[in-house]
Amino acid sequence: MQNETTKIALLVAVSTLVFLLMPVFLILYIRSYNRHKKNHFLEKQNMQQRFDSEILQTRIEVQDQTMQSIATELHDNVGQLLSLTTLTLNSVNLNDAEKAKRKIENSLSLVNKSIKELRELAKLLHGEQLVENGIGHAIDQEINWLGKAGTYELKTNNLLTDSQLVSPDKDLIILRLLQEIINNVIKHAQATYIQIDSYLEDGALHLKVTENGIGFNPDEINAKKAGMGLNSIYKRIEMINGKLALNSAPGKGTSIAIEIPYP
Amino acid sequence: MRYVSPIVIAEITCLITAILLVWKDRNVFWKVITCYIAIALGTELYAIYLASKHIHNLWLFNIFLIFESSTILYGLYCCLKQYTTPKPIFLIGSGVVYLTYFIFLFTHPFTDPNTLTISVMSVFFTLYCLYYYYLLLKDENFINIKTHPEFWWVTGVLFYYFGSTMSNIFDGLFSVKIIGVATLRYCIYVLLNLILYSLWVYSFICRMKQRKLHS
């Protein structure tokens, strides 16, 4: 009987030890899991910070682009119109009433044109509000601006203007992507024809820009992931989980298709 | 000297720490725990006094059981409340524990140790502690467990009730003396109490630091 009691006592002692060790291992596991969770949390926080800083950078670039457009417009368009108005008004001979009347009418027409141009500029100044109205409107504004130059034959198919979906951060990045692509075309492509398509399909926003410029070898560019502003385009698309398809060949123009999960 | 036992020393230390560090806490939870430790200490001292007079003292522990189960249930409820709505599972748990207690009370003399309720209670407390850990791991927000008071409070509860499972099951079947007159059962309970109160003292320190940080 005494032997039985000792056996039970031994069993209880050993099992209690095991039962006490189990929470110890549990705590060690929780500690290790928690450490992983902490790293994941910090990484997420870091990514969010990077995203925020990229958004800020994009906002600054969009503003810069707007300022450049305004400066160019003021210099090349409104400035010229007002200079012409001054010249016309200076040449008015009040003794020749008929001619003077015609010149004043011309000046008036030039001033009205300048006012119209300034109104257009005012719209540009509200570029950020334009994005708030939806990416469709922002793309429209960008295309109108490109069309005003009259340098390119433009074909556009923007189906995003009717869309009710919005995603403020992504909209800003998409607008900047379009601006960068257009800048590249203007600076390097020597194109005469540009086609811009934008639409929503299967929960993704598609933006395609095709031109008939001099083209380039995409393998070289992809290998370097640099040059012609492509680096920042790739980086931003990656940031919003998008995809980019680049088709180009020397002498055969370039086509850039972007697909971004939306909204 | 009769009143000085390791359990009493652990309880006094824990009570003093609780009064100094968490009694002024705005959270009712810490006040309830402090009161519970005071009741546990009172019970322990009175039980020693009764034993010294050769009077049966198990009825005292049976009364204390009500305070013990209610306080730990309340404490675990507060901890789990931060992550989920634990009302349904606690209604079931407390229902089963109190039902077992009263069934045992009506079917056994009041001087019998209520081991059945202690065993049932231990199972529920262990399950709640494990559920707390599960929710803690599942939660998206990261917490620093090293300094998280509730975590260490729950850990103390888990050690005590999970560790005492075997002693509860085999209660009365073994009475081997290992150190002088101390039985193995007593030694196990001393060890469990030391672990419980040490972890609770640590949780009070964490809470005090947390409060200072937030003020």
Side-chain angles (χ1 to χ4, degrees):
Chain A
M1 190 62 191
Q2 183 62 36
N3 197 23
E4 279 294 303
T5 312
T6 315
K7 269 186 186 171
I8 294 173
L10 198 67
L11 174 77
V12 172
V14 172
S15 343
T16 302
L17 202 67
V18 173
F19 273 50
L20 284 176
L21 278 175
M22 276 167 72
V24 173
F25 285 112
L26 191 65
I27 290 164
L28 288 176
Y29 171 74
I30 292 171
R31 196 169 146 249
S32 146
Y33 187 93
N34 206 49
R35 202 175 289 163
H36 282 113
K37 207 159 89 171
K38 182 185 173 184
N39 290 341
H40 178 72
F41 182 81
L42 291 175
E43 205 176 310
K44 223 168 97 179
Q45 214 174 31
N46 204 9
M47 270 173 71
Q48 184 61 44
Q49 272 174 0
R50 276 209 305 263
F51 184 80
D52 289 345
S53 104
E54 196 60 43
I55 287 287
L56 192 69
Q57 174 72 18
T58 309
R59 184 160 286 137
I60 291 166
E61 283 179 18
V62 167
Q63 279 170 357
D64 274 358
Q65 179 86 26
T66 310
M67 289 303 167
Q68 265 181 33
S69 302
I70 290 168
T72 312
E73 188 65 14
L74 280 174
H75 180 267
D76 297 351
N77 208 345
V78 183
Q80 299 297 326
L81 283 171
L82 291 175
S83 298
L84 202 60
T85 311
T86 318
L87 276 173
T88 314
L89 287 174
N90 273 337
S91 65
V92 169
N93 182 359
L94 290 173
N95 296 329
D96 189 348
E98 188 63 30
K99 228 174 176 178
K101 191 188 167 199
R102 213 169 51 240
K103 280 184 179 176
I104 288 168
E105 274 170 1
N106 276 344
S107 301
L108 209 60
S109 146
L110 286 169
V111 168
N112 279 334
K113 213 172 167 188
S114 303
I115 290 169
K116 208 178 146 198
E117 293 294 337
L118 284 171
R119 277 195 186 129
E120 289 290 317
L121 277 179
K123 272 192 205 169
L124 251 196
L125 269 172
H126 294 291
E128 295 222 9
Q129 281 171 15
L130 212 67
V131 176
E132 279 166 25
N133 291 337
I135 183 64
H137 290 97
I139 290 175
D140 250 358
Q141 180 69 36
E142 206 57 39
I143 292 168
N144 284 344
W145 207 251
L146 186 66
K148 267 173 69 100
T151 324
Y152 305 100
E153 184 192 335
L154 274 178
K155 190 181 172 192
T156 56
N157 184 23
N158 180 12
L159 301 179
L160 298 175
T161 38
D162 304 326
S163 168
Q164 300 296 315
L165 299 174
V166 282
S167 172
D169 286 346
K170 279 187 184 174
D171 287 350
L172 194 68
I173 290 176
I174 293 163
L175 176 65
R176 184 62 200 147
L177 286 173
L178 181 67
Q179 285 180 343
E180 290 218 44
I181 293 167
I182 289 173
N183 277 349
N184 281 342
V185 173
I186 294 170
K187 280 184 199 164
H188 310 283
Q190 299 169 29
T192 54
Y193 168 82
I194 302 174
Q195 183 176 338
I196 299 173
D197 299 294
S198 56
Y199 55 93
L200 281 169
E201 196 178 85
D202 302 330
L205 186 145
H206 296 259
L207 179 67
K208 192 174 176 186
V209 180
T210 314
E211 41 87 348
N212 64 347
I214 54 170
F216 58 91
N217 186 355
D219 291 339
E220 279 176 27
I221 300 294
N222 278 338
K224 282 192 280 182
K225 272 204 172 178
M228 298 202 297
L230 269 176
N231 191 22
S232 72
I233 292 178
Y234 273 114
K235 199 173 79 184
R236 282 182 180 146
I237 286 177
E238 203 177 298
M239 208 172 64
I240 48 176
N241 300 319
K243 286 182 218 159
L244 181 137
L246 178 71
N247 279 313
S248 185
K252 290 191 175 168
T254 304
S255 153
I256 293 180
I258 294 169
E259 187 185 328
I260 293 157
Y262 199 85
Chain B
M1 275 309 279
R2 190 188 290 272
Y3 290 93
V4 184
S5 73
I7 295 178
V8 170
I9 293 169
E11 281 175 344
I12 290 173
T13 314
C14 194
L15 181 65
I16 292 170
T17 321
I19 291 169
L20 290 176
L21 303 182
V22 292
W23 178 249
K24 284 180 186 168
D25 202 288
R26 264 184 290 174
N27 195 334
V28 188
F29 170 80
W30 302 103
K31 282 191 173 62
V32 172
I33 301 304
T34 312
C35 290
Y36 167 71
I37 300 164
I39 293 169
L41 178 64
T43 309
E44 194 68 34
L45 291 172
Y46 191 51
I48 293 171
Y49 168 76
L50 291 176
S52 71
K53 299 281 174 195
H54 301 288
I55 303 168
H56 210 284
N57 64 7
L58 280 174
W59 59 270
L60 186 65
F61 286 108
N62 283 345
I63 295 172
F64 173 69
L65 202 58
I66 289 279
F67 289 101
E68 185 184 351
S69 55
S70 307
T71 312
I72 305 297
L73 275 170
Y74 168 76
L76 289 171
Y77 175 82
C78 289
C79 294
L80 280 165
K81 207 170 66 178
Q82 295 170 13
Y83 300 101
T84 184
T85 316
K87 229 175 195 168
I89 57 164
F90 271 84
L91 282 175
I92 295 168
S94 48
V96 173
V97 171
Y98 292 130
L99 198 69
T100 318
Y101 182 85
F102 287 110
I103 287 173
F104 193 89
L105 202 70
F106 290 122
T107 53
H108 292 75
F110 195 56
T111 46
D112 274 10
N114 199 337
T115 44
L116 181 69
T117 309
I118 295 171
S119 300
V120 171
M121 195 171 84
S122 300
V123 170
F124 274 100
F125 291 167
T126 305
L127 289 176
Y128 290 150
C129 291
L130 295 177
Y131 187 48
Y132 172 81
Y133 288 154
Y134 168 71
L135 292 175
L136 190 86
L137 292 179
K138 217 182 78 173
D139 190 43
E140 268 188 21
N141 295 320
F142 154 76
I143 57 147
N144 190 359
I145 58 165
K146 244 186 198 170
T147 54
H148 196 60
E150 283 87 357
F151 174 81
W152 291 109
W153 188 85
V154 172
T155 304
V157 172
L158 179 71
F159 267 105
Y160 185 82
Y161 290 98
F162 193 54
S164 63
T165 310
M166 289 310 277
S167 299
N168 291 333
I169 293 170
F170 290 99
D171 187 55
L173 291 178
F174 65 102
S175 53
V176 178
K177 290 187 173 66
I178 52 165
I179 310 162
V181 288
T183 60
L184 175 65
R185 187 180 187 281
Y186 179 74
C187 290
I188 288 173
Y189 272 95
V190 167
L191 177 69
L192 291 176
N193 273 287
L194 287 178
I195 295 173
L196 173 78
Y197 290 120
S198 310
L199 289 170
W200 280 13
V201 164
Y202 183 65
S203 88
F204 298 153
I205 295 168
C206 291
R207 177 62 191 173
M208 185 264 295
K209 280 184 182 171
Q210 195 181 53
R211 211 177 56 229
K212 273 192 177 171
L213 208 71
H214 286 251
S215 63

